[in-house]
Structures are given as C-alpha cells and as structure tokens.
Amino acid sequence: MKCYKKDYPRPQFVRNQWVNLNGKWDFGFDEQNCGEKKEWFRDFPGELEIQVPFTYETKLSGIEDESSHENIWYRRTLEIAPDMLHEKRLMLHFEGSDFITKVWLNGKFAGEHRGGYTRFSFDITDLVSEGENQLVVKVEDSEDIQQPRGKQRWVGENFGCWYVQTTGIWKMVWLESVPVIRLEKVKMTPVLEKNELEVEYEVSALSEVYGSDLKVEAFVSFEGKFIARAVTSLTASHTKATIDVLGRGVADFAWGVRTWSPEEPNLYDIEFRLLYQGVVQDEIGSYFGMREIRIDGPNILLNGKPLYQRLILDQGYWKDSHLTPPSEEALIEDIDKINALGYNGLRKHQKIEDERFLYWCDVKGMLVWSEAAAAYQFTDYAVELFTKEWVDIVKLNYNHPSIITWTPFNESWGIAQVETDRKQQHFTEAIYHLTKSMDPFRPVIVNDGWEQTVSDIITLHDYEEAGEVFYNRYAGHKDEIMTTEMYHSSNKSAMANGYEYKGQPVIISEYGGIAFNNDDSGWGYGNKVDTEEEFIRRFDEITTAIKKVPYVCGFCYTQVTDVQQEINGLMDIERNFKVDQDTIKEINERRVGYWRTFK
C-alpha cells in the first residue's frame, strides 16, 4: 500500500512526523510500592536496564525474571526537536501496556490508563520543551482475575493452558507531532450494494472553525490509478460522508469495484486532507477493502458467496518475547506459514495483536476472528473493565477488512454460570448488542465453544480424536446437539438455558490439538502420537469428518505453534514445521462433503 511504512505502528492512519521510542530504558522494581510516595517520577533510582517493548519476564527484555512483580518503573530521555512543537501538539502513544499505566514528563503528571490490550495516548505538549526531557512510567499489575488477562497465569507457576504473565509495556511506545486542527479518527465502512465507502470523520478543532471553512478532501486510488475525490464540509466534530468507489466519470477506468477476499485481497489507497480556509492542516494516508460479510440462514457469505472457513487457532506467543512480536518480519512469517498450511484464516485467541499483524492480514488476504482477553471472575468491576476495553478494541480495529468476526467471550471464561445465571446472560446480550450498535455488519460470537446466548454463529469446541466417532456424533444428531440438553463435548451444552438454536451457521471452532510423544513434559489434547504418519492419519480423519458434516461451514484447528507447556502446534515455538506442510495443506484444501457445494 502507498501509505505503508515499515515498523509504523498505526498503518491505517499514517502521518510522517513520528519517533519510535523502543529500545533501552532505565528500569526498576518497586516491591514496597513506595515509588510514588518517594517521587521516583522526579528522581528515579532504577539500577536495571530493559529493552522496550519486551516485558521483564522475557529473554529479549534483558532481564528474564518470570516471577510476579506488581509495581514496576521505566525512565528514558526524550529529545524534542523544535519542529515537533512549532504550531503542533505532541502525542505520546502506547500500543499496549498491562495493566495500570501512569506517566510523568519532567516530574509532572501526564495521566493514567487502565487496561492491557489497546492503544492509548497522552497529549504532552504543555509538559515538555525543546531539547532534553525526562519521561517516567509506572505500571501496576496484579493477579486479580477480575481484570482482562487472557492466557496470563494468576498463580506462581504455569498450569493448564495459562502461561507466564505479561507485566508492563509490551507493545511499541512512540511520539507523534500532530497539527492543532487535525483528524482524530476515520471510520470506514464498505457498502458493496451501493458501490460506496461510508466515512465518519472525527476532528479535533476549536468549535468556531466548524462550518464552510473546514473541509476534508478524500482521494481514492487503486494500484496507482486515481478513482475518486470527495469533499466534505465539517459542521461538527463528527461528520459522515460517502465516497463513490466505482470510478464513474474517470476516463479509462471501467472495471468496477474490486472486492477484497482471501483469493484476491484487493485494497484501495485513500488519502485524507483536512483544510481550514483553503489551507491544508493535516494529511493522513490510509487504505480500505471493499468487502461484505453477512449471515444468510445456515451460511456465512463473503461478497455474496458462501464462505467455508479453514481457520487455525493463533495465540501469538514467541519463545524469547512471549506476547510481544520480536519483529515485524516475525508477524509476516506467521501469516505466510499459516497460508502454506492451507488455511484461509485464523482465530487470534485471547489477544489483541499488534496492528501491523492486521495490516499484513489485510494485504495477504488472511481472515481474522478478533477475540478479547478474558477475565475469570464475574463482578461489577469485571463488567466495567471488560466493557470499556471491548469498546476500545472494536473502535481500534474496525477498519481492517481482514477482521470478519468479533468474539468477545470464550468458553464461559469470566461468565462461568452463564448457562443458568440471568445476570451473566444479560451481560453477554449487552455486549452483543453494544457491538452491533458500533458494527452492525460483522457477525458476533458471544460465547465461543458452548453455552451460547445470542450469537450470529453457533461455534462448538470438540477435541474428539476419532474421525468416525466425531462424524457419527454430529451428522445425524443436529437437532439434539443444538439444545440445552444434549452435550456435544466436555459436558457442556451448545446453548445456555432459556435460549434456542435459530438456524445460525455452525462452525467447529476448536478441534485437534494433536501432540507428539516426548519426555512426558508438555501436553496436547487426547493421546499423544509417536510418528508423523500417525499424526497425519489422525489429522486427516478428524478434519475430513468435520467437512462431511452437512451443516458445518468451517473449522478452526488448535493450533499454529507450541506455547510454553502446550505442545500441540503444527509448528514448534521456534516456527519449525513438525509435519510436512504440503500434506497438511492438501488435507485442508481437499474438497469433500459439504464443502463440495461451495463455489
């Protein structure tokens, strides 16, 4: 894409003047939580060094201490060039820091943020000056299971499928110099039936400038060829507009709308220019994909055609950096290897990934289910924390065409009594409808795996080893499985009490999890296998059985790579294939059963 810049952290909203703050920072543990009282934000005594954005638990941080420390501090010097402040505002961005982050500049408090998985920012213009400045950050984390923590353990050792905790800054920190009058956000919604792109602009400016003197120009191009220009007068801080992307009226451009799909991930470039009294105030580079995802009875349609989803569970962990990608190249490698295995999508499990990952999924045509990190206790506080973070997630990643499904809950985590408890059921319904109010177009899966309430897709988790047993269970017993009575697996019912199946599409969204025999350390689902031949036979039988079930329109295999003690990946943690990838690809792409009817 024309706007793409390597390592740029926000690839759908690109400006030119920015500074990457990753690298060496001073660091210290605050075991007594006395740092604020002793004003460490003025005189920081930290004797350690850390490589941001890697957390102290990881090898790449330079510390590699996996024990829990609830209060940690960071410090670094900022060099502010004169042109970054001249008639500009200076924004400090954190792509992700877990869990409570407090920030000081030159001893003055800039603000705090609560939550571990989404971007947040502070306007630090009035706290800094040209030249050298001191940035100090405190992060507070805990083993509180009310906060969204995903796959992070809350006890001293790993257990089950929960791994070493992630504490503090774990994504990029960066500075951005922005105009006083500027675009804050752009929400882009493709509308295929009208050949239009709906755009909602959010602008930061003084109230007196809105009106005929404040305009935004949008320029659309495809593969370098100009398509459309749209001018919108901004009468309020939030203004909607539409852009014709058919190219009508453009000489020598008559090929119609190019849609985005895994087979043809067509993307349009779009440039935004904000003008006040005819003078350009702000310029943004971005892109979008024209695609439609919707439910049609038992089918999921992409651009009006039935979509069979071949997904793989992706937890996004690396050996030496845990949740933090070691590089942009590592993100690209994962996507390419998932594609080489014959999958057309992935379920990003219990993690909001680096936005550069979503950029490359957009570019390469990889479907994505976006799933929130779970809490593990249901309280008013947990509801408050989750709801705020989920709203931020949907807003943050709305524009990415690769995201085709929102998945706020998984396996009743954080809503353990949702099968019968009306309070927890109301919570899931509220999140469903809240999501739909922001995004009425994408499907929402409310409780992936079982005990579902309101959901656009019914998803089932089943780690049955034998393909024949699986097929016999599902092929002739759909009506029984889609009830609150008959358990499909794991002693869990498909629907929560008081809810019924209404003909939605059905996907087996977790299965497999096959592990090789080793020294008895680590685990997979079911019995371990001894040879590659045994692995392939079991993988083939169960995958083929799923495809043969006439009402199932997709699957998600567990999983891409090993993760710490969980050794059921198709690759090990260092991204080496355990079995022949071409054989897996052939099995995944082989058209059998229900999939034969898909175009």
Side-chain angles (χ1 to χ4, degrees), residues 267-298:
L267 295 173
Y268 289 77
D269 286 296
I270 186 165
E271 298 178 34
F272 301 102
R273 297 177 189 171
L274 183 65
L275 297 91
Y276 178 56
Q277 296 181 342
V279 179
V280 176
Q281 304 292 317
D282 195 10
E283 294 182 89
I284 301 294
S286 189
Y287 66 90
F288 62 92
M290 292 297 293
R291 66 101 183 89
E292 177 196 62
I293 186 79
R294 63 183 173 90
I295 303 297
D296 180 25

Short mmCIF file of all heavy atoms in Angstrom, two decimals, residues 267-298:
data_model
loop_
_atom_site.label_atom_id
_atom_site.label_comp_id
_atom_site.label_asym_id
_atom_site.label_seq_id
_atom_site.Cartn_x
_atom_site.Cartn_y
_atom_site.Cartn_z
N LEU A 267 -7.01 -3.99 -2.24
CA LEU A 267 -7.06 -2.87 -1.31
C LEU A 267 -6.95 -1.55 -2.06
O LEU A 267 -6.15 -1.43 -3.00
CB LEU A 267 -5.93 -2.97 -0.28
CG LEU A 267 -5.97 -4.16 0.68
CD1 LEU A 267 -4.69 -4.21 1.51
CD2 LEU A 267 -7.19 -4.09 1.60
N TYR A 268 -7.73 -0.59 -1.64
CA TYR A 268 -7.71 0.75 -2.20
C TYR A 268 -6.88 1.66 -1.30
O TYR A 268 -6.99 1.60 -0.07
CB TYR A 268 -9.12 1.32 -2.29
CG TYR A 268 -10.01 0.69 -3.33
CD1 TYR A 268 -10.60 -0.55 -3.11
CD2 TYR A 268 -10.30 1.34 -4.52
CE1 TYR A 268 -11.44 -1.14 -4.06
CE2 TYR A 268 -11.14 0.77 -5.48
CZ TYR A 268 -11.69 -0.47 -5.23
OH TYR A 268 -12.53 -1.04 -6.16
N ASP A 269 -6.07 2.53 -1.91
CA ASP A 269 -5.42 3.60 -1.16
C ASP A 269 -6.39 4.76 -1.00
O ASP A 269 -7.19 5.04 -1.91
CB ASP A 269 -4.17 4.09 -1.90
CG ASP A 269 -3.02 3.11 -1.82
OD1 ASP A 269 -2.54 2.88 -0.70
OD2 ASP A 269 -2.61 2.58 -2.87
N ILE A 270 -6.30 5.43 0.14
CA ILE A 270 -7.10 6.62 0.35
C ILE A 270 -6.28 7.64 1.14
O ILE A 270 -5.60 7.29 2.11
CB ILE A 270 -8.45 6.31 1.05
CG1 ILE A 270 -9.33 7.56 1.12
CG2 ILE A 270 -8.25 5.70 2.43
CD1 ILE A 270 -10.80 7.26 1.46
N GLU A 271 -6.29 8.88 0.68
CA GLU A 271 -5.58 9.97 1.35
C GLU A 271 -6.59 11.01 1.81
O GLU A 271 -7.50 11.37 1.06
CB GLU A 271 -4.55 10.61 0.41
CG GLU A 271 -3.47 9.66 -0.05
CD GLU A 271 -2.50 10.33 -1.02
OE1 GLU A 271 -2.25 11.54 -0.86
OE2 GLU A 271 -2.02 9.64 -1.93
N PHE A 272 -6.42 11.47 3.03
CA PHE A 272 -7.30 12.49 3.59
C PHE A 272 -6.51 13.78 3.80
O PHE A 272 -5.38 13.74 4.33
CB PHE A 272 -7.88 12.03 4.93
CG PHE A 272 -8.69 10.76 4.85
CD1 PHE A 272 -8.14 9.55 5.26
CD2 PHE A 272 -9.98 10.77 4.37
CE1 PHE A 272 -8.87 8.38 5.19
CE2 PHE A 272 -10.73 9.60 4.30
CZ PHE A 272 -10.17 8.40 4.71
N ARG A 273 -7.09 14.90 3.40
CA ARG A 273 -6.50 16.21 3.65
C ARG A 273 -7.53 17.08 4.34
O ARG A 273 -8.63 17.29 3.82
CB ARG A 273 -6.05 16.87 2.34
CG ARG A 273 -4.96 16.11 1.61
CD ARG A 273 -4.61 16.78 0.30
NE ARG A 273 -3.73 15.94 -0.50
CZ ARG A 273 -3.40 16.20 -1.76
NH1 ARG A 273 -3.91 17.27 -2.38
NH2 ARG A 273 -2.60 15.38 -2.41
N LEU A 274 -7.18 17.58 5.49
CA LEU A 274 -8.05 18.47 6.25
C LEU A 274 -7.65 19.91 5.96
O LEU A 274 -6.48 20.28 6.15
CB LEU A 274 -7.94 18.16 7.75
CG LEU A 274 -8.84 18.96 8.69
CD1 LEU A 274 -10.31 18.64 8.44
CD2 LEU A 274 -8.48 18.67 10.14
N LEU A 275 -8.60 20.71 5.49
CA LEU A 275 -8.31 22.09 5.11
C LEU A 275 -9.12 23.05 5.96
O LEU A 275 -10.31 22.83 6.21
CB LEU A 275 -8.63 22.33 3.63
CG LEU A 275 -7.83 21.55 2.60
CD1 LEU A 275 -8.53 20.24 2.26
CD2 LEU A 275 -7.62 22.37 1.35
N TYR A 276 -8.49 24.15 6.35
CA TYR A 276 -9.18 25.25 7.02
C TYR A 276 -8.88 26.53 6.25
O TYR A 276 -7.71 26.87 6.04
CB TYR A 276 -8.73 25.39 8.47
CG TYR A 276 -9.39 26.55 9.20
CD1 TYR A 276 -10.79 26.65 9.26
CD2 TYR A 276 -8.63 27.54 9.80
CE1 TYR A 276 -11.41 27.70 9.91
CE2 TYR A 276 -9.24 28.60 10.47
CZ TYR A 276 -10.63 28.68 10.51
OH TYR A 276 -11.24 29.73 11.15
N GLN A 277 -9.94 27.17 5.77
CA GLN A 277 -9.82 28.36 4.93
C GLN A 277 -8.90 28.10 3.74
O GLN A 277 -8.08 28.94 3.34
CB GLN A 277 -9.33 29.55 5.76
CG GLN A 277 -10.32 29.96 6.83
CD GLN A 277 -9.86 31.17 7.65
OE1 GLN A 277 -8.68 31.52 7.66
NE2 GLN A 277 -10.80 31.81 8.33
N GLY A 278 -9.04 26.90 3.18
CA GLY A 278 -8.30 26.55 1.98
C GLY A 278 -6.88 26.10 2.19
O GLY A 278 -6.20 25.71 1.23
N VAL A 279 -6.39 26.10 3.43
CA VAL A 279 -5.01 25.73 3.73
C VAL A 279 -5.00 24.34 4.36
O VAL A 279 -5.75 24.07 5.30
CB VAL A 279 -4.35 26.75 4.68
CG1 VAL A 279 -2.91 26.32 5.02
CG2 VAL A 279 -4.36 28.13 4.05
N VAL A 280 -4.14 23.46 3.85
CA VAL A 280 -4.05 22.11 4.38
C VAL A 280 -3.52 22.13 5.81
O VAL A 280 -2.45 22.68 6.08
CB VAL A 280 -3.14 21.22 3.50
CG1 VAL A 280 -2.97 19.84 4.14
CG2 VAL A 280 -3.72 21.09 2.10
N GLN A 281 -4.27 21.52 6.72
CA GLN A 281 -3.90 21.46 8.13
C GLN A 281 -3.32 20.10 8.51
O GLN A 281 -2.44 20.00 9.36
CB GLN A 281 -5.11 21.75 9.02
CG GLN A 281 -5.79 23.07 8.75
CD GLN A 281 -4.94 24.26 9.13
OE1 GLN A 281 -4.31 24.27 10.19
NE2 GLN A 281 -4.90 25.26 8.25
N ASP A 282 -3.85 19.04 7.90
CA ASP A 282 -3.46 17.68 8.28
C ASP A 282 -3.58 16.79 7.06
O ASP A 282 -4.48 16.97 6.22
CB ASP A 282 -4.37 17.18 9.41
CG ASP A 282 -3.83 15.93 10.11
OD1 ASP A 282 -2.68 15.57 9.87
OD2 ASP A 282 -4.58 15.34 10.92
N GLU A 283 -2.67 15.81 6.95
CA GLU A 283 -2.69 14.84 5.87
C GLU A 283 -2.50 13.44 6.44
O GLU A 283 -1.58 13.21 7.22
CB GLU A 283 -1.60 15.13 4.84
CG GLU A 283 -1.79 16.43 4.09
CD GLU A 283 -0.71 16.65 3.04
OE1 GLU A 283 -0.91 16.20 1.89
OE2 GLU A 283 0.31 17.25 3.37
N ILE A 284 -3.37 12.53 6.02
CA ILE A 284 -3.35 11.15 6.53
C ILE A 284 -3.34 10.19 5.36
O ILE A 284 -4.10 10.34 4.39
CB ILE A 284 -4.61 10.87 7.39
CG1 ILE A 284 -4.69 11.83 8.58
CG2 ILE A 284 -4.64 9.41 7.85
CD1 ILE A 284 -3.59 11.67 9.59
N GLY A 285 -2.50 9.16 5.44
CA GLY A 285 -2.52 8.08 4.48
C GLY A 285 -3.20 6.85 5.05
O GLY A 285 -2.98 6.50 6.21
N SER A 286 -4.05 6.20 4.24
CA SER A 286 -4.76 5.03 4.73
C SER A 286 -5.11 4.12 3.54
O SER A 286 -4.67 4.33 2.42
CB SER A 286 -6.01 5.44 5.50
OG SER A 286 -6.60 4.33 6.15
N TYR A 287 -5.95 3.12 3.83
CA TYR A 287 -6.40 2.19 2.81
C TYR A 287 -7.68 1.53 3.30
O TYR A 287 -8.03 1.60 4.48
CB TYR A 287 -5.32 1.13 2.50
CG TYR A 287 -5.05 0.19 3.67
CD1 TYR A 287 -5.77 -1.00 3.81
CD2 TYR A 287 -4.10 0.50 4.64
CE1 TYR A 287 -5.55 -1.85 4.88
CE2 TYR A 287 -3.87 -0.35 5.70
CZ TYR A 287 -4.59 -1.52 5.82
OH TYR A 287 -4.37 -2.36 6.88
N PHE A 288 -8.38 0.86 2.40
CA PHE A 288 -9.58 0.12 2.80
C PHE A 288 -9.81 -1.01 1.83
O PHE A 288 -9.23 -1.06 0.73
CB PHE A 288 -10.81 1.04 2.85
CG PHE A 288 -11.19 1.67 1.53
CD1 PHE A 288 -12.11 1.04 0.69
CD2 PHE A 288 -10.64 2.88 1.13
CE1 PHE A 288 -12.46 1.60 -0.52
CE2 PHE A 288 -10.99 3.44 -0.09
CZ PHE A 288 -11.90 2.81 -0.92
N GLY A 289 -10.65 -1.94 2.22
CA GLY A 289 -11.06 -3.05 1.36
C GLY A 289 -12.56 -3.04 1.18
O GLY A 289 -13.31 -2.83 2.13
N MET A 290 -13.00 -3.27 -0.04
CA MET A 290 -14.43 -3.36 -0.32
C MET A 290 -14.85 -4.82 -0.18
O MET A 290 -14.58 -5.66 -1.04
CB MET A 290 -14.74 -2.85 -1.73
CG MET A 290 -14.52 -1.36 -1.90
SD MET A 290 -15.62 -0.34 -0.86
CE MET A 290 -17.21 -0.69 -1.59
N ARG A 291 -15.49 -5.14 0.93
CA ARG A 291 -15.98 -6.50 1.14
C ARG A 291 -17.18 -6.46 2.07
O ARG A 291 -17.35 -5.55 2.86
CB ARG A 291 -14.86 -7.39 1.69
CG ARG A 291 -14.36 -7.04 3.07
CD ARG A 291 -14.97 -7.97 4.09
NE ARG A 291 -14.54 -7.59 5.42
CZ ARG A 291 -15.17 -6.72 6.19
NH1 ARG A 291 -16.24 -6.10 5.75
NH2 ARG A 291 -14.74 -6.45 7.41
N GLU A 292 -18.01 -7.49 1.93
CA GLU A 292 -19.22 -7.61 2.75
C GLU A 292 -19.22 -8.99 3.38
O GLU A 292 -19.05 -9.99 2.70
CB GLU A 292 -20.46 -7.43 1.88
CG GLU A 292 -21.77 -7.61 2.65
CD GLU A 292 -22.94 -7.81 1.73
OE1 GLU A 292 -22.95 -8.82 0.97
OE2 GLU A 292 -23.85 -6.97 1.75
N ILE A 293 -19.42 -9.03 4.68
CA ILE A 293 -19.57 -10.30 5.39
C ILE A 293 -20.94 -10.29 6.06
O ILE A 293 -21.30 -9.32 6.75
CB ILE A 293 -18.44 -10.51 6.43
CG1 ILE A 293 -18.52 -11.88 7.07
CG2 ILE A 293 -18.37 -9.38 7.44
CD1 ILE A 293 -17.96 -12.98 6.23
N ARG A 294 -21.73 -11.32 5.81
CA ARG A 294 -23.08 -11.36 6.40
C ARG A 294 -23.56 -12.80 6.53
O ARG A 294 -22.99 -13.73 5.96
CB ARG A 294 -24.07 -10.54 5.59
CG ARG A 294 -24.32 -11.04 4.17
CD ARG A 294 -25.27 -10.08 3.45
NE ARG A 294 -25.42 -10.42 2.04
CZ ARG A 294 -26.33 -11.25 1.56
NH1 ARG A 294 -27.21 -11.84 2.39
NH2 ARG A 294 -26.42 -11.51 0.26
N ILE A 295 -24.62 -12.95 7.31
CA ILE A 295 -25.23 -14.25 7.57
C ILE A 295 -26.45 -14.41 6.68
O ILE A 295 -27.27 -13.50 6.56
CB ILE A 295 -25.65 -14.38 9.05
CG1 ILE A 295 -24.45 -14.15 9.97
CG2 ILE A 295 -26.30 -15.73 9.30
CD1 ILE A 295 -23.34 -15.15 9.84
N ASP A 296 -26.56 -15.58 6.05
CA ASP A 296 -27.73 -15.91 5.23
C ASP A 296 -28.18 -17.30 5.64
O ASP A 296 -27.70 -18.31 5.10
CB ASP A 296 -27.38 -15.85 3.75
CG ASP A 296 -28.58 -16.19 2.86
OD1 ASP A 296 -29.73 -15.99 3.32
OD2 ASP A 296 -28.37 -16.66 1.73
N GLY A 297 -29.09 -17.38 6.62
CA GLY A 297 -29.54 -18.67 7.12
C GLY A 297 -28.37 -19.46 7.67
O GLY A 297 -27.64 -18.98 8.54
N PRO A 298 -28.11 -20.67 7.17
CA PRO A 298 -27.03 -21.50 7.71
C PRO A 298 -25.66 -21.19 7.11
O PRO A 298 -24.69 -21.86 7.43
CB PRO A 298 -27.47 -22.91 7.33
CG PRO A 298 -28.21 -22.72 6.04
CD PRO A 298 -28.93 -21.41 6.18
#
